[in-house]
Amino acid sequence: MQKIAVKFRDYYIGDLTFENNNYVYKTNDVGVDMAITEGGVPLFLYGVNVSFVSSELPFSLKDLIPNPEYQLYKDLKLGECANDFERLYVLSGENLADDGLYVERK
């Protein structure tokens, strides 16, 4: 099963999978607590502070997928992916970490 680590800055805050046409997100409670207390990160604004099962991605994760007009979208052939999870999975294999929310392949 493909799994994506969701991170904020250096904090590992959860795992995202895709099962039965649903996005399944499981928080790493220790990472969430550290991001909030040490980093002062208001994770609730990103919708990744609690576990969920949903047919829709939170906007904050969906927003990580580049616009189809961007060269990165074309270079990574994200248009050939079946859904947003596959697009995030491809992106998670790239070194796109920044000072905000990002994904890494597990």
Tab-separated table of all heavy atoms in Angstrom, residues 37-92:
chain	number	residue	atom	x	y	z
A	37	THR	N	3.005	22.853	20.240
A	37	THR	CA	3.621	23.434	21.432
A	37	THR	C	4.999	24.035	21.159
A	37	THR	O	5.288	25.142	21.605
A	37	THR	CB	3.736	22.398	22.570
A	37	THR	OG1	4.468	21.268	22.120
A	37	THR	CG2	2.373	21.967	23.044
A	38	GLU	N	5.850	23.316	20.419
A	38	GLU	CA	7.205	23.823	20.150
A	38	GLU	C	7.222	24.820	19.000
A	38	GLU	O	7.924	25.814	19.043
A	38	GLU	CB	8.149	22.671	19.800
A	38	GLU	CG	8.489	21.759	20.937
A	38	GLU	CD	9.385	20.610	20.491
A	38	GLU	OE1	9.903	20.643	19.352
A	38	GLU	OE2	9.554	19.669	21.277
A	39	GLY	N	6.479	24.486	17.953
A	39	GLY	CA	6.533	25.310	16.749
A	39	GLY	C	5.483	26.391	16.676
A	39	GLY	O	5.549	27.264	15.811
A	40	GLY	N	4.497	26.316	17.555
A	40	GLY	CA	3.430	27.313	17.516
A	40	GLY	C	2.597	27.253	16.249
A	40	GLY	O	2.046	28.255	15.810
A	41	VAL	N	2.512	26.070	15.645
A	41	VAL	CA	1.822	25.907	14.373
A	41	VAL	C	0.335	25.636	14.613
A	41	VAL	O	-0.008	24.673	15.282
A	41	VAL	CB	2.432	24.728	13.573
A	41	VAL	CG1	1.709	24.557	12.251
A	41	VAL	CG2	3.919	24.936	13.353
A	42	PRO	N	-0.542	26.474	14.075
A	42	PRO	CA	-1.981	26.238	14.224
A	42	PRO	C	-2.459	25.207	13.190
A	42	PRO	O	-3.061	25.554	12.179
A	42	PRO	CB	-2.587	27.619	13.981
A	42	PRO	CG	-1.615	28.279	13.047
A	42	PRO	CD	-0.256	27.731	13.415
A	43	LEU	N	-2.159	23.938	13.446
A	43	LEU	CA	-2.448	22.890	12.468
A	43	LEU	C	-3.923	22.787	12.110
A	43	LEU	O	-4.270	22.330	11.021
A	43	LEU	CB	-1.945	21.541	12.972
A	43	LEU	CG	-0.437	21.364	13.027
A	43	LEU	CD1	-0.077	19.985	13.585
A	43	LEU	CD2	0.193	21.537	11.656
A	44	PHE	N	-4.811	23.222	13.007
A	44	PHE	CA	-6.233	23.140	12.711
A	44	PHE	C	-6.581	23.950	11.459
A	44	PHE	O	-7.535	23.639	10.752
A	44	PHE	CB	-7.078	23.588	13.906
A	44	PHE	CG	-6.977	25.058	14.217
A	44	PHE	CD1	-7.866	25.955	13.644
A	44	PHE	CD2	-6.003	25.529	15.075
A	44	PHE	CE1	-7.767	27.313	13.921
A	44	PHE	CE2	-5.899	26.882	15.364
A	44	PHE	CZ	-6.783	27.785	14.780
A	45	LEU	N	-5.788	24.963	11.158
A	45	LEU	CA	-6.020	25.761	9.952
A	45	LEU	C	-5.777	24.962	8.681
A	45	LEU	O	-6.293	25.304	7.623
A	45	LEU	CB	-5.122	27.002	9.949
A	45	LEU	CG	-5.376	28.035	11.038
A	45	LEU	CD1	-4.341	29.145	10.968
A	45	LEU	CD2	-6.785	28.595	10.922
A	46	TYR	N	-4.998	23.895	8.788
A	46	TYR	CA	-4.653	23.075	7.637
A	46	TYR	C	-5.499	21.803	7.540
A	46	TYR	O	-5.391	21.052	6.582
A	46	TYR	CB	-3.165	22.699	7.683
A	46	TYR	CG	-2.274	23.911	7.638
A	46	TYR	CD1	-1.831	24.519	8.817
A	46	TYR	CD2	-1.878	24.455	6.429
A	46	TYR	CE1	-1.024	25.636	8.778
A	46	TYR	CE2	-1.066	25.574	6.381
A	46	TYR	CZ	-0.647	26.154	7.559
A	46	TYR	OH	0.150	27.274	7.511
A	47	GLY	N	-6.298	21.537	8.549
A	47	GLY	CA	-7.147	20.345	8.538
A	47	GLY	C	-6.390	19.051	8.704
A	47	GLY	O	-6.878	17.994	8.309
A	48	VAL	N	-5.195	19.118	9.280
A	48	VAL	CA	-4.370	17.912	9.440
A	48	VAL	C	-4.028	17.650	10.906
A	48	VAL	O	-3.109	16.900	11.199
A	48	VAL	CB	-3.077	17.994	8.597
A	48	VAL	CG1	-3.391	17.950	7.105
A	48	VAL	CG2	-2.265	19.243	8.933
A	49	ASN	N	-4.783	18.229	11.810
A	49	ASN	CA	-4.527	18.037	13.238
A	49	ASN	C	-5.312	16.875	13.820
A	49	ASN	O	-5.074	16.471	14.942
A	49	ASN	CB	-4.838	19.313	14.024
A	49	ASN	CG	-6.290	19.728	13.878
A	49	ASN	OD1	-6.853	19.666	12.786
A	49	ASN	ND2	-6.885	20.159	14.967
A	50	VAL	N	-6.263	16.319	13.065
A	50	VAL	CA	-7.054	15.171	13.513
A	50	VAL	C	-7.141	14.146	12.382
A	50	VAL	O	-7.096	14.496	11.200
A	50	VAL	CB	-8.482	15.583	13.954
A	50	VAL	CG1	-8.448	16.447	15.194
A	50	VAL	CG2	-9.224	16.280	12.843
A	51	SER	N	-7.273	12.885	12.764
A	51	SER	CA	-7.422	11.817	11.782
A	51	SER	C	-8.763	11.956	11.069
A	51	SER	O	-9.726	12.497	11.630
A	51	SER	CB	-7.351	10.451	12.472
A	51	SER	OG	-6.096	10.283	13.097
A	52	PHE	N	-8.836	11.471	9.830
A	52	PHE	CA	-10.099	11.514	9.096
A	52	PHE	C	-10.128	10.441	8.010
A	52	PHE	O	-9.097	9.928	7.587
A	52	PHE	CB	-10.348	12.894	8.468
A	52	PHE	CG	-9.343	13.301	7.419
A	52	PHE	CD1	-9.420	12.830	6.115
A	52	PHE	CD2	-8.324	14.182	7.737
A	52	PHE	CE1	-8.495	13.214	5.154
A	52	PHE	CE2	-7.392	14.581	6.781
A	52	PHE	CZ	-7.485	14.090	5.487
A	53	VAL	N	-11.333	10.121	7.581
A	53	VAL	CA	-11.604	9.314	6.399
A	53	VAL	C	-12.593	10.133	5.595
A	53	VAL	O	-13.657	10.501	6.097
A	53	VAL	CB	-12.202	7.932	6.747
A	53	VAL	CG1	-12.550	7.165	5.482
A	53	VAL	CG2	-11.238	7.132	7.616
A	54	SER	N	-12.230	10.459	4.341
A	54	SER	CA	-13.071	11.346	3.547
A	54	SER	C	-12.896	11.071	2.062
A	54	SER	O	-11.813	10.663	1.620
A	54	SER	CB	-12.700	12.802	3.843
A	54	SER	OG	-13.412	13.680	3.006
A	55	SER	N	-13.931	11.328	1.312
A	55	SER	CA	-13.826	11.205	-0.147
A	55	SER	C	-13.150	12.444	-0.739
A	55	SER	O	-12.800	12.452	-1.916
A	55	SER	CB	-15.213	11.014	-0.768
A	55	SER	OG	-16.036	12.124	-0.483
A	56	GLU	N	-12.956	13.476	0.077
A	56	GLU	CA	-12.321	14.719	-0.354
A	56	GLU	C	-11.081	15.011	0.478
A	56	GLU	O	-11.066	14.772	1.679
A	56	GLU	CB	-13.295	15.890	-0.206
A	56	GLU	CG	-14.537	15.782	-1.056
A	56	GLU	CD	-14.265	15.938	-2.534
A	56	GLU	OE1	-13.394	16.757	-2.897
A	56	GLU	OE2	-14.910	15.226	-3.323
A	57	LEU	N	-10.077	15.551	-0.176
A	57	LEU	CA	-8.881	16.014	0.532
A	57	LEU	C	-9.142	17.379	1.156
A	57	LEU	O	-9.868	18.184	0.566
A	57	LEU	CB	-7.728	16.190	-0.452
A	57	LEU	CG	-6.875	15.011	-0.799
A	57	LEU	CD1	-5.886	15.399	-1.899
A	57	LEU	CD2	-6.139	14.476	0.397
A	58	PRO	N	-8.542	17.660	2.312
A	58	PRO	CA	-8.605	19.032	2.813
A	58	PRO	C	-7.924	19.957	1.795
A	58	PRO	O	-6.983	19.549	1.107
A	58	PRO	CB	-7.815	19.007	4.112
A	58	PRO	CG	-7.597	17.590	4.442
A	58	PRO	CD	-7.776	16.799	3.195
A	59	PHE	N	-8.385	21.171	1.719
A	59	PHE	CA	-7.827	22.127	0.762
A	59	PHE	C	-6.316	22.258	0.908
A	59	PHE	O	-5.605	22.366	-0.078
A	59	PHE	CB	-8.495	23.503	0.912
A	59	PHE	CG	-7.898	24.528	0.007
A	59	PHE	CD1	-8.180	24.531	-1.349
A	59	PHE	CD2	-7.015	25.479	0.508
A	59	PHE	CE1	-7.608	25.465	-2.198
A	59	PHE	CE2	-6.439	26.419	-0.331
A	59	PHE	CZ	-6.736	26.420	-1.683
A	60	SER	N	-5.822	22.232	2.136
A	60	SER	CA	-4.383	22.428	2.354
A	60	SER	C	-3.546	21.356	1.659
A	60	SER	O	-2.461	21.641	1.166
A	60	SER	CB	-4.072	22.453	3.845
A	60	SER	OG	-4.469	21.240	4.446
A	61	LEU	N	-4.037	20.111	1.619
A	61	LEU	CA	-3.304	19.046	0.930
A	61	LEU	C	-3.538	19.116	-0.577
A	61	LEU	O	-2.617	18.924	-1.367
A	61	LEU	CB	-3.704	17.679	1.473
A	61	LEU	CG	-3.245	17.384	2.896
A	61	LEU	CD1	-3.830	16.072	3.395
A	61	LEU	CD2	-1.728	17.358	2.979
A	62	LYS	N	-4.751	19.390	-0.979
A	62	LYS	CA	-5.065	19.511	-2.405
A	62	LYS	C	-4.271	20.665	-3.012
A	62	LYS	O	-3.845	20.594	-4.168
A	62	LYS	CB	-6.562	19.718	-2.590
A	62	LYS	CG	-7.016	19.619	-4.021
A	62	LYS	CD	-8.525	19.619	-4.093
A	62	LYS	CE	-9.010	19.403	-5.486
A	62	LYS	NZ	-9.020	18.031	-5.916
A	63	ASP	N	-4.062	21.710	-2.230
A	63	ASP	CA	-3.341	22.888	-2.705
A	63	ASP	C	-1.853	22.608	-2.967
A	63	ASP	O	-1.184	23.397	-3.626
A	63	ASP	CB	-3.501	24.021	-1.692
A	63	ASP	CG	-3.117	25.371	-2.261
A	63	ASP	OD1	-3.507	25.656	-3.412
A	63	ASP	OD2	-2.432	26.140	-1.560
A	64	LEU	N	-1.336	21.494	-2.476
A	64	LEU	CA	0.060	21.126	-2.737
A	64	LEU	C	0.262	20.680	-4.180
A	64	LEU	O	1.381	20.695	-4.694
A	64	LEU	CB	0.500	20.001	-1.795
A	64	LEU	CG	0.528	20.333	-0.304
A	64	LEU	CD1	0.882	19.095	0.506
A	64	LEU	CD2	1.500	21.475	-0.011
A	65	ILE	N	-0.807	20.268	-4.832
A	65	ILE	CA	-0.731	19.810	-6.223
A	65	ILE	C	-0.646	21.033	-7.124
A	65	ILE	O	-1.521	21.900	-7.077
A	65	ILE	CB	-1.962	18.957	-6.583
A	65	ILE	CG1	-2.038	17.738	-5.657
A	65	ILE	CG2	-1.916	18.538	-8.048
A	65	ILE	CD1	-3.341	16.973	-5.728
A	66	PRO	N	0.401	21.119	-7.949
A	66	PRO	CA	0.553	22.313	-8.793
A	66	PRO	C	-0.557	22.424	-9.835
A	66	PRO	O	-1.162	21.433	-10.236
A	66	PRO	CB	1.913	22.118	-9.472
A	66	PRO	CG	2.383	20.773	-9.126
A	66	PRO	CD	1.481	20.171	-8.113
A	67	ASN	N	-0.770	23.629	-10.277
A	67	ASN	CA	-1.713	23.918	-11.342
A	67	ASN	C	-1.278	23.168	-12.612
A	67	ASN	O	-0.086	23.110	-12.905
A	67	ASN	CB	-1.710	25.430	-11.584
A	67	ASN	CG	-2.702	25.870	-12.619
A	67	ASN	OD1	-2.695	25.417	-13.748
A	67	ASN	ND2	-3.550	26.800	-12.220
A	68	PRO	N	-2.223	22.610	-13.369
A	68	PRO	CA	-1.858	21.880	-14.600
A	68	PRO	C	-1.084	22.723	-15.612
A	68	PRO	O	-0.408	22.171	-16.482
A	68	PRO	CB	-3.213	21.447	-15.181
A	68	PRO	CG	-4.107	21.365	-13.997
A	68	PRO	CD	-3.652	22.477	-13.081
A	69	GLU	N	-1.142	24.032	-15.495
A	69	GLU	CA	-0.398	24.901	-16.412
A	69	GLU	C	1.071	25.033	-16.029
A	69	GLU	O	1.882	25.456	-16.846
A	69	GLU	CB	-1.042	26.295	-16.463
A	69	GLU	CG	-2.478	26.279	-16.949
A	69	GLU	CD	-2.608	25.717	-18.358
A	69	GLU	OE1	-1.800	26.079	-19.226
A	69	GLU	OE2	-3.520	24.897	-18.576
A	70	TYR	N	1.429	24.652	-14.800
A	70	TYR	CA	2.808	24.798	-14.338
A	70	TYR	C	3.698	23.717	-14.939
A	70	TYR	O	3.271	22.585	-15.165
A	70	TYR	CB	2.888	24.728	-12.815
A	70	TYR	CG	2.282	25.897	-12.087
A	70	TYR	CD1	2.240	25.911	-10.706
A	70	TYR	CD2	1.749	26.987	-12.751
A	70	TYR	CE1	1.683	26.974	-10.006
A	70	TYR	CE2	1.196	28.058	-12.065
A	70	TYR	CZ	1.173	28.043	-10.705
A	70	TYR	OH	0.629	29.096	-10.021
A	71	GLN	N	4.943	24.074	-15.139
A	71	GLN	CA	5.896	23.145	-15.738
A	71	GLN	C	6.113	21.912	-14.862
A	71	GLN	O	6.269	20.799	-15.376
A	71	GLN	CB	7.235	23.853	-16.006
A	71	GLN	CG	8.169	23.047	-16.881
A	71	GLN	CD	7.585	22.764	-18.254
A	71	GLN	OE1	7.019	23.638	-18.892
A	71	GLN	NE2	7.713	21.524	-18.712
A	72	LEU	N	6.120	22.083	-13.542
A	72	LEU	CA	6.312	20.943	-12.640
A	72	LEU	C	5.223	19.898	-12.863
A	72	LEU	O	5.501	18.699	-12.894
A	72	LEU	CB	6.318	21.401	-11.178
A	72	LEU	CG	6.512	20.314	-10.132
A	72	LEU	CD1	7.881	19.643	-10.279
A	72	LEU	CD2	6.357	20.891	-8.728
A	73	TYR	N	3.988	20.329	-13.025
A	73	TYR	CA	2.863	19.421	-13.283
A	73	TYR	C	3.126	18.618	-14.555
A	73	TYR	O	2.933	17.401	-14.586
A	73	TYR	CB	1.573	20.235	-13.417
A	73	TYR	CG	0.306	19.415	-13.453
A	73	TYR	CD1	-0.416	19.194	-12.292
A	73	TYR	CD2	-0.192	18.893	-14.640
A	73	TYR	CE1	-1.592	18.460	-12.295
A	73	TYR	CE2	-1.360	18.159	-14.670
A	73	TYR	CZ	-2.060	17.944	-13.490
A	73	TYR	OH	-3.222	17.209	-13.518
A	74	LYS	N	3.597	19.310	-15.574
A	74	LYS	CA	3.882	18.663	-16.859
A	74	LYS	C	5.094	17.745	-16.756
A	74	LYS	O	5.070	16.619	-17.254
A	74	LYS	CB	4.085	19.716	-17.940
A	74	LYS	CG	2.825	20.529	-18.200
A	74	LYS	CD	3.105	21.698	-19.129
A	74	LYS	CE	1.851	22.563	-19.255
A	74	LYS	NZ	2.097	23.766	-20.027
A	75	ASP	N	6.152	18.220	-16.119
A	75	ASP	CA	7.388	17.428	-16.001
A	75	ASP	C	7.158	16.120	-15.254
A	75	ASP	O	7.736	15.093	-15.605
A	75	ASP	CB	8.481	18.224	-15.289
A	75	ASP	CG	9.020	19.368	-16.129
A	75	ASP	OD1	8.740	19.427	-17.353
A	75	ASP	OD2	9.725	20.233	-15.558
A	76	LEU	N	6.331	16.166	-14.209
A	76	LEU	CA	6.071	14.972	-13.407
A	76	LEU	C	4.919	14.128	-13.966
A	76	LEU	O	4.576	13.097	-13.396
A	76	LEU	CB	5.762	15.363	-11.957
A	76	LEU	CG	6.904	16.032	-11.199
A	76	LEU	CD1	6.448	16.428	-9.799
A	76	LEU	CD2	8.125	15.131	-11.128
A	77	LYS	N	4.339	14.595	-15.071
A	77	LYS	CA	3.236	13.883	-15.746
A	77	LYS	C	2.069	13.620	-14.793
A	77	LYS	O	1.495	12.540	-14.767
A	77	LYS	CB	3.743	12.590	-16.379
A	77	LYS	CG	4.824	12.840	-17.403
A	77	LYS	CD	5.351	11.580	-18.006
A	77	LYS	CE	6.465	11.955	-18.973
A	77	LYS	NZ	7.142	10.832	-19.525
A	78	LEU	N	1.745	14.638	-14.002
A	78	LEU	CA	0.665	14.490	-13.029
A	78	LEU	C	-0.696	14.338	-13.692
A	78	LEU	O	-1.617	13.792	-13.097
A	78	LEU	CB	0.668	15.666	-12.053
A	78	LEU	CG	1.920	15.802	-11.187
A	78	LEU	CD1	1.815	17.009	-10.282
A	78	LEU	CD2	2.169	14.542	-10.374
A	79	GLY	N	-0.821	14.792	-14.925
A	79	GLY	CA	-2.066	14.628	-15.659
A	79	GLY	C	-2.391	13.175	-15.972
A	79	GLY	O	-3.543	12.832	-16.237
A	80	GLU	N	-1.380	12.320	-15.920
A	80	GLU	CA	-1.591	10.896	-16.186
A	80	GLU	C	-2.044	10.129	-14.938
A	80	GLU	O	-2.394	8.957	-15.029
A	80	GLU	CB	-0.304	10.276	-16.729
A	80	GLU	CG	0.124	10.864	-18.064
A	80	GLU	CD	1.465	10.352	-18.547
A	80	GLU	OE1	1.987	9.363	-17.970
A	80	GLU	OE2	2.018	10.954	-19.487
A	81	CYS	N	-2.033	10.775	-13.800
A	81	CYS	CA	-2.445	10.134	-12.548
A	81	CYS	C	-3.962	9.995	-12.503
A	81	CYS	O	-4.693	10.852	-13.002
A	81	CYS	CB	-1.958	10.943	-11.346
A	81	CYS	SG	-0.165	11.050	-11.206
A	82	ALA	N	-4.430	8.936	-11.857
A	82	ALA	CA	-5.861	8.647	-11.789
A	82	ALA	C	-6.609	9.559	-10.822
A	82	ALA	O	-7.796	9.808	-10.999
A	82	ALA	CB	-6.087	7.184	-11.397
A	83	ASN	N	-5.917	10.054	-9.782
A	83	ASN	CA	-6.602	10.869	-8.776
A	83	ASN	C	-5.580	11.733	-8.033
A	83	ASN	O	-4.375	11.648	-8.271
A	83	ASN	CB	-7.400	9.984	-7.804
A	83	ASN	CG	-6.545	8.937	-7.138
A	83	ASN	OD1	-5.421	9.202	-6.706
A	83	ASN	ND2	-7.054	7.719	-7.039
A	84	ASP	N	-6.096	12.543	-7.123
A	84	ASP	CA	-5.217	13.446	-6.375
A	84	ASP	C	-4.264	12.705	-5.447
A	84	ASP	O	-3.162	13.183	-5.189
A	84	ASP	CB	-6.035	14.466	-5.579
A	84	ASP	CG	-6.635	15.544	-6.470
A	84	ASP	OD1	-6.140	15.732	-7.597
A	84	ASP	OD2	-7.597	16.199	-6.024
A	85	PHE	N	-4.653	11.533	-4.946
A	85	PHE	CA	-3.717	10.786	-4.106
A	85	PHE	C	-2.490	10.398	-4.925
A	85	PHE	O	-1.358	10.545	-4.461
A	85	PHE	CB	-4.350	9.528	-3.493
A	85	PHE	CG	-3.380	8.781	-2.632
A	85	PHE	CD1	-3.157	9.173	-1.333
A	85	PHE	CD2	-2.633	7.726	-3.141
A	85	PHE	CE1	-2.205	8.512	-0.537
A	85	PHE	CE2	-1.701	7.056	-2.361
A	85	PHE	CZ	-1.486	7.455	-1.055
A	86	GLU	N	-2.706	9.892	-6.138
A	86	GLU	CA	-1.566	9.517	-6.977
A	86	GLU	C	-0.699	10.732	-7.286
A	86	GLU	O	0.533	10.622	-7.323
A	86	GLU	CB	-2.047	8.856	-8.265
A	86	GLU	CG	-2.572	7.456	-8.059
A	86	GLU	CD	-2.929	6.745	-9.350
A	86	GLU	OE1	-2.521	7.213	-10.446
A	86	GLU	OE2	-3.619	5.720	-9.280
A	87	ARG	N	-1.320	11.878	-7.504
A	87	ARG	CA	-0.542	13.101	-7.754
A	87	ARG	C	0.309	13.453	-6.533
A	87	ARG	O	1.487	13.775	-6.658
A	87	ARG	CB	-1.479	14.249	-8.117
A	87	ARG	CG	-2.109	14.089	-9.477
A	87	ARG	CD	-3.059	15.238	-9.830
A	87	ARG	NE	-3.733	14.921	-11.054
A	87	ARG	CZ	-4.919	14.292	-11.143
A	87	ARG	NH1	-5.572	13.965	-10.031
A	87	ARG	NH2	-5.451	14.011	-12.311
A	88	LEU	N	-0.297	13.383	-5.351
A	88	LEU	CA	0.466	13.648	-4.129
A	88	LEU	C	1.569	12.624	-3.930
A	88	LEU	O	2.663	12.963	-3.462
A	88	LEU	CB	-0.458	13.661	-2.907
A	88	LEU	CG	-1.284	14.908	-2.692
A	88	LEU	CD1	-2.232	14.724	-1.510
A	88	LEU	CD2	-0.399	16.125	-2.470
A	89	TYR	N	1.302	11.376	-4.292
A	89	TYR	CA	2.314	10.334	-4.139
A	89	TYR	C	3.520	10.627	-5.038
A	89	TYR	O	4.663	10.503	-4.611
A	89	TYR	CB	1.723	8.957	-4.440
A	89	TYR	CG	2.660	7.834	-4.086
A	89	TYR	CD1	2.831	7.451	-2.755
A	89	TYR	CD2	3.396	7.168	-5.053
A	89	TYR	CE1	3.705	6.439	-2.414
A	89	TYR	CE2	4.273	6.150	-4.722
A	89	TYR	CZ	4.423	5.786	-3.403
A	89	TYR	OH	5.289	4.778	-3.058
A	90	VAL	N	3.266	11.034	-6.270
A	90	VAL	CA	4.363	11.408	-7.170
A	90	VAL	C	5.126	12.596	-6.590
A	90	VAL	O	6.362	12.592	-6.526
A	90	VAL	CB	3.831	11.732	-8.584
A	90	VAL	CG1	4.917	12.352	-9.449
A	90	VAL	CG2	3.275	10.477	-9.253
A	91	LEU	N	4.407	13.604	-6.129
A	91	LEU	CA	5.045	14.782	-5.535
A	91	LEU	C	5.846	14.420	-4.293
A	91	LEU	O	6.891	15.019	-4.026
A	91	LEU	CB	3.995	15.827	-5.174
A	91	LEU	CG	3.377	16.577	-6.346
A	91	LEU	CD1	2.152	17.344	-5.888
A	91	LEU	CD2	4.391	17.503	-6.985
A	92	SER	N	5.368	13.429	-3.538
A	92	SER	CA	6.047	13.053	-2.290
A	92	SER	C	7.417	12.431	-2.546
A	92	SER	O	8.235	12.362	-1.643
A	92	SER	CB	5.180	12.102	-1.471
A	92	SER	OG	5.073	10.833	-2.090
